[in-house]
Amino acid sequence: SKSESKQSPPPVVHYHMNKLTTSSDPVGNRETVLILTPLARFYQEYWDNLLKLTYPHELISLGFIVPKGREGNAATAALQAQVSKTQSGPEKKRFASVTILRQDTESPLENQSESERHKLENQKVRRAAMSKARNSLLFTTMGPTTSWVLWLDSDIIETPPTLIQDLASHDKPIIVPNCFQRYYDEETKKMDVRPYDFNSWIDSQAAQQLASQMGNDDILLEGYHDMPTYRSLMAYMVDKGSDNPHAEVQLDGVGGTALLVKAEVHRDGAMFPPFAFYHLIETEGFAKMASRLGWKSWGLPNYFVYHYNE
Amino acid sequence: SKSESKQSPPPVVHYHMNKLTTSSDPVGNRETVLILTPLARFYQEYWDNLLKLTYPHELISLGFIVPKGREGNAATAALQAQVSKTQSGPEKKRFASVTILRQDTESPLENQSESERHKLENQKVRRAAMSKARNSLLFTTMGPTTSWVLWLDSDIIETPPTLIQDLASHDKPIIVPNCFQRYYDEETKKMDVRPYDFNSWIDSQAAQQLASQMGNDDILLEGYHDMPTYRSLMAYMVDKGSDNPHAEVQLDGVGGTALLVKAEVHRDGAMFPPFAFYHLIETEGFAKMASRLGWKSWGLPNYFVYHYNE
Ligand SMILES: Nc1nc2c(ncn2[C@@H]2O[C@H](COP(=O)(O)OP(=O)(O)O)[C@@H](O)[C@H]2O)c(=O)[nH]1
Ligand SMILES: Nc1nc2c(ncn2[C@@H]2O[C@H](COP(=O)(O)OP(=O)(O)O)[C@@H](O)[C@H]2O)c(=O)[nH]1
Ligand SMILES: [Mn+2]
Ligand SMILES: [Mn+2]
């Protein structure tokens, strides 16, 4: 770190990339993890869940990017309060560093209700903006000692505490758990779970066919009836008879609500295309770009994280 | 930087991207510049030229990436010696920080002579490797306070000392000077200059036509007789009757021997595609990607920098 003395020369830092490992035993090898969260709204449950992660916090750096505007201001204030509390609390809970970026643009959709966000015509604009936010955060916070990047949305409110170790143990370039949502079933009068994220999938001929008829800038989107892709969605691959959360499946598209990436994948140049890339955008486009760079994506259909329910 | 005291909480850093300017008066606005150099060979003339840049050195950070292997070791040693000398020399000459990354891969071509490098069949492999090196360097060194990125090859041995101010004064997202080479003309028995970099161009219908007949992974390359692109090359746009080094021309492809980029262009996601992107790769693919993100490229045909002559 930079010396304060006026006499001493500014720092020269020398990094050997071959000494930077990304292994199935990241704790044993003291590998650093950068947790990146685009954050339009702050949820206390997200922070509480983050604090419960058992990966050594001194190996974790946090990066947030928050949009401009009233909602962004409120989110920043709430985040800042929790960060201050944690970073001045018990040593074991403190993170190595925290970076908060404020965008110079507002969130493209004023009304960020779940139904509004998911409208087809809003998706391209929204996901292009999300891509730029993710890229800004990534390009700005990744350092020479980062081994892993964990993308974690601000509305992921429940994960196993061993999330990082569990995902890393698979030793995959890109790995994504299954993102579900808890809800109250009015019929059974019981809490139940349902799929939330449909961006993790195996490609289909039908989708390829749809894509081949599209204009250059058009994008395929998952989960819309007007656009039947017949892709195999990880959301529907849950094996209810299995007690093995570590079953793996290779994917062509990934969602970003929770997503572990070896830093070298990003370093090679894999980012979140804010434009149509093979008719894909954002996290799905990222998986495609990574595959063009020789990195495969994997999913864990029986390993769950949970999205907030508005 | 991280506090050494065990008691004090780890740092929380808060950045407002809207306060980070990239203006035509970067010195007046104290804008930071990150100079990035992929470096396979060290040239003393490169370093001497760098030291002569009049942009305030305390606003400049340097980043290098050096390939693995014997040649890389030699280059690193030579670089390290000069860095140490400069950073312990006169305060005014010292740079804000220096990062040296060692790749975990070797340079793809053992024999890096100029003629070997420029063979058509070697270009795709070479430029894919160069792209990955550039991306690694960029993703790893760009920070939240970086306003500008100056790409500068290690064999650029002569530029105006006001290079950064001159290029920035145009206030363009991406701007490239004309890269020439000094040589001894055997006929006239005098030193003369000739074009070196042919990657800065305006696109042509012929090139578009060639591209449309290519396979998905094929790339167009400039300066090869088998592939007549009829693009308008900036190398041939020099106006010998003009004394205006600031004449501007809009470009579709750019070279990277010297290239000034607003950091926000990279932050949005513009990187150096190591794969065919619209049949373009590396710096030319970068210009295309930036244009898809809404950022235009410009060239200065009458403003020169000079490449080493082997
Ligand atoms: N920085 C930033 N974050 C955003 C923006 N819009 C949404 N987010 C965050 O990005 C993540 C995904 O957005 P969200 O609205 O939850 O998407 P959905 O659940 O897929 O519909 C969440 O962490 C949001 O808080 C934005 O414009 N800028
Ligand atoms: N890190 C890294 N730098 C390289 C590699 N190959 C070339 N370079 C550097 O990248 C720049 C461009 O390469 P060069 O061989 O000069 O290309 P040319 O002048 O366009 O033929 C120069 O600064 C080289 O020192 C490589 O494999 N790794
Ligand atoms: Mn969400
Ligand atoms: Mn060169």
Side-chain angles (χ1 to χ4, degrees), chain B:
Chain B
S1 65
K2 194 168 177 173
S3 166
E4 302 302 314
S5 150
K6 265 234 148 191
Q7 258 60 42
S8 71
V12 185
V13 207
H14 205 117
Y15 299 99
H16 289 262
M17 309 303 274
N18 58 336
K19 293 194 186 137
L20 194 69
T21 63
T22 43
S23 68
S24 57
D25 179 20
V27 177
N29 291 317
R30 306 229 6 113
E31 293 166 5
T32 57
V33 180
L34 177 62
I35 301 184
L36 295 183
T37 299
L39 183 141
R41 287 191 190 164
F42 180 83
Y43 296 97
Q44 188 58 42
E45 299 91 327
Y46 160 87
W47 191 259
D48 295 342
N49 182 70
L50 193 68
L51 287 185
K52 285 190 213 133
L53 293 181
T54 58
Y55 200 86
H57 287 201
E58 80 261 22
L59 295 176
I60 297 178
S61 288
L62 305 178
F64 299 90
I65 187 160
V66 188
K68 205 172 121 175
R70 210 170 49 84
E71 236 197 4
N73 291 345
T76 304
L79 171 65
Q80 184 75 55
Q82 292 307 313
V83 168
S84 299
K85 198 169 147 198
T86 300
Q87 298 301 78
S88 58
E91 293 234 352
K92 263 196 61 178
K93 290 285 179 190
R94 297 184 196 169
F95 297 100
S97 70
V98 183
T99 305
I100 303 171
L101 303 180
R102 282 306 294 278
Q103 284 174 261
D104 47 9
T105 50
E106 289 203 41
S107 202
L109 299 184
E110 299 268 300
N111 179 342
Q112 289 254 333
S113 76
E114 191 176 310
S115 60
E116 192 63 22
R117 288 198 314 264
H118 292 179
K119 278 189 189 151
L120 185 53
E121 64 272 31
N122 288 334
Q123 280 289 306
K124 195 171 153 188
V125 166
R126 228 182 77 74
R127 296 194 63 189
M130 283 298 310
S131 301
K132 287 187 188 177
R134 288 190 195 278
N135 291 336
S136 266
L137 185 55
L138 176 66
F139 280 55
T140 301
T141 59
M142 195 163 75
T145 61
T146 311
S147 281
W148 300 89
V149 177
L150 176 68
W151 292 94
L152 192 65
D153 276 358
S154 72
D155 42 19
I156 295 301
I157 54 172
E158 182 188 340
T159 71
T162 50
L163 176 71
I164 297 171
Q165 297 93 320
D166 293 344
L167 296 181
S169 72
H170 290 260
D171 198 21
K172 299 295 188 199
I174 300 168
I175 192 161
V176 61
N178 220 346
C179 178
F180 270 54
Q181 186 174 49
R182 297 192 188 279
Y183 75 105
Y184 182 75
D185 186 327
E186 295 290 351
E187 279 182 25
T188 64
K189 307 285 178 202
K190 278 190 198 150
M191 290 302 291
D192 203 348
V193 298
R194 64 187 171 203
Y196 181 83
D197 188 342
F198 299 102
N199 293 335
S200 296
W201 41 257
I202 301 170
D203 211 358
S204 69
Q205 289 223 303
Q208 290 292 311
Q209 180 65 22
L210 278 174
S212 72
Q213 291 156 356
M214 282 179 147
N216 253 331
D217 289 341
D218 290 343
I219 56 170
L220 281 167
L221 287 168
E222 201 42 66
Y224 295 89
H225 288 112
D226 327 5
M227 214 187 272
T229 65
Y230 299 102
R231 289 166 177 160
S232 307
L233 305 185
M234 185 165 78
Y236 301 135
M237 290 181 200
V238 180
D239 181 356
K240 288 199 176 125
S242 161
D243 55 359
N244 176 20
H246 285 292
E248 297 173 349
V249 55
Q250 201 178 305
L251 299 172
D252 298 303
V254 299
T257 59
L259 178 68
L260 187 70
V261 181
K262 290 193 178 187
E264 59 197 307
V265 175
H266 286 311
R267 279 202 189 92
D268 271 359
M271 48 77 174
F272 300 94
F275 43 74
F277 183 73
Y278 290 77
H279 304 286
L280 301 172
I281 198 166
E282 211 212 351
T283 56
E284 297 163 294
F286 161 73
K288 179 68 185 175
M289 195 175 281
S291 97
R292 291 223 50 195
L293 291 164
W295 303 106
K296 298 266 162 282
S297 296
W298 296 80
L300 301 181
N302 301 328
Y303 191 100
F304 299 101
V305 301
Y306 295 95
H307 189 276
Y308 188 80
N309 188 355
E310 286 179 21

Side-chain angles (χ1 to χ4, degrees), chain A residues 288-303:
Chain A
K288 179 68 186 175
M289 195 175 281
S291 97
R292 291 224 50 195
L293 291 164
W295 303 107
K296 298 267 162 280
S297 296
W298 296 82
L300 301 181
N302 301 327
Y303 190 100

Side-chain angles (χ1 to χ4, degrees), chain A residues 117 155 196 307:
Chain A
R117 289 198 314 266
D155 42 19
Y196 182 83
H307 189 276

